[in-house]
Amino acid sequence: MNKTKLKSNLMLLMTAMIWGFAFVAQRVGADHVGAMTFNGVRFALGALSLLPAVLIFGRKLPMDRDCKKQTFLASLAGGAALFVASLLQQWGVALTQSAGKAGFITSLYTVLVPVIGFLLLRRRTGIYTWIGAFLAVGGLYLLSMTGDERAGIGDLVLILGAIVWAAHILIIDYFNGKQINAIVFAMGQFAVCAVCNLMGAGLFEEITVSGIAAAGVPILYGGLMSVGVAYTLQIFGQRGADPTAASVILSTESMFSALGGIIILGESMPISGYIGCVLIFAGVIYAQLTPGSEPAQKEKAS
């Protein structure tokens, strides 16, 4: 492995680590503020954190009238999907009270992308993708075996979130086929997501300065690190990395979420849960490494 690829892979590994530990931040933040308040503030910070990148790199990319139109439409569509996906994820984290479980269930979107592509878009999907999906479903069953009704509802919410995350990836894939300014699009979708969350929080949640202050560190981590820093690392990391290797490295996000939950929050689960995590991770990796499945490149903020 040459130095360029090694450097790129390390950047992607750092990205996965930041995203994985973001589930810990979300778990802690859920104790102090509502889901829409948490997401609204952190995505607003995330959008602002990308402003330097937009000013530095965005202006170097030509934007004619059609490019501006497609970038605007992509920002609206991507931001709307991001709003729903991140909201379901935050609700799921609050209900399950588990950063590790949330990380692994959310990672199912990687397997769902080719499956949804086949079912709705009639895209060709290899047999190995379905084997990966089978492993992931088996792992999900073991991971969700619990007598806690509240946690069971949380699992369902996270599964719905994973479906919307997959839809978000397909939206990005659709607009990548058109002429858009990627940096401006990234900032735009985060801004749209922030506005939707803050509007919802104003209508349905009680926003207090004390609550936001108590969740200050998780919000700052989720906004500046998970969105600004991790997204920037991903952009530069994927430039010099093999696409399949990049997907596999980014998939370790789920392992870091579990590791963060164990080390920082003292989380634990029954042995069946750990076996389920292994099966989900194996399914995700298997679907990406074998012929007939396309790597699902992330462009998200966990």
Side-chain angles (χ1 to χ4, degrees), residues 26-107:
Q26 290 177 244
R27 164 68 181 80
V28 176
D31 292 335
H32 303 288
V33 293
M36 286 183 281
T37 300
F38 182 84
N39 282 338
V41 178
R42 80 177 180 111
F43 277 108
L45 287 174
L48 290 174
S49 72
L50 286 180
L51 184 58
V54 170
L55 295 176
I56 295 172
F57 302 108
R59 291 182 176 179
K60 295 180 181 180
L61 299 175
M63 287 191 69
D64 56 23
R65 185 174 181 178
D66 184 63
C67 181
K68 289 180 180 179
K69 177 183 177 181
Q70 294 299 329
T71 301
F72 176 73
L73 292 175
S75 297
L76 289 180
L82 188 60
F83 162 64
V84 177
S86 62
L87 180 59
L88 290 171
Q89 184 183 81
Q90 188 64 19
W91 277 344
V93 170
L95 288 168
T96 60
Q97 294 287 290
S98 173
K101 175 184 280 191
F104 274 99
I105 293 179
T106 298
S107 70

Side-chain angles (χ1 to χ4, degrees), residues 218-238:
I219 288 175
L220 287 172
Y221 182 92
L224 300 180
M225 293 296 293
S226 184
V227 179
V229 175
Y231 179 79
T232 304
L233 285 172
Q234 181 197 14
I235 290 175
F236 287 102
Q238 286 188 196

Side-chain angles (χ1 to χ4, degrees), residues 82-222:
L82 188 60
F83 162 64
V84 177
S86 62
L87 180 59
L88 290 171
Q89 184 183 81
Q90 188 64 19
W91 277 344
V93 170
L95 288 168
T96 60
Q97 294 287 290
S98 173
K101 175 184 280 191
F104 274 99
I105 293 179
T106 298
S107 70
L108 289 173
Y109 84 87
T110 308
V111 178
L112 289 172
V113 168
V115 173
I116 293 175
F118 172 78
L119 295 176
L120 300 183
L121 305 178
R122 298 304 178 187
R123 293 182 177 179
R124 294 183 61 184
T125 303
I127 184 64
Y128 297 114
T129 296
W130 295 103
I131 295 175
F134 177 78
L135 290 172
V137 169
L140 177 63
Y141 172 75
L142 293 175
L143 183 61
S144 301
M145 284 178 58
T146 173
D148 190 332
E149 181 180 352
R150 189 167 182 266
I153 296 174
D155 292 346
L156 178 59
V157 171
L158 288 169
I159 293 170
L160 292 175
I163 294 173
V164 183
W165 280 122
H168 179 249
I169 294 295
L170 292 172
I171 289 173
I172 292 173
D173 181 64
Y174 171 78
F175 281 102
N176 275 341
K178 300 181 179 296
Q179 185 185 11
I180 65 171
N181 186 311
I183 299 293
V184 175
F185 159 63
M187 181 179 175
Q189 70 166 349
F190 295 145
V192 170
C193 179
V195 170
C196 291
N197 273 294
L198 290 175
M199 289 177 61
L203 291 173
F204 303 109
E205 297 177 355
E206 181 181 357
I207 304 176
T208 63
V209 175
S210 59
I212 293 176
V217 173
I219 288 175
L220 287 172
Y221 182 92

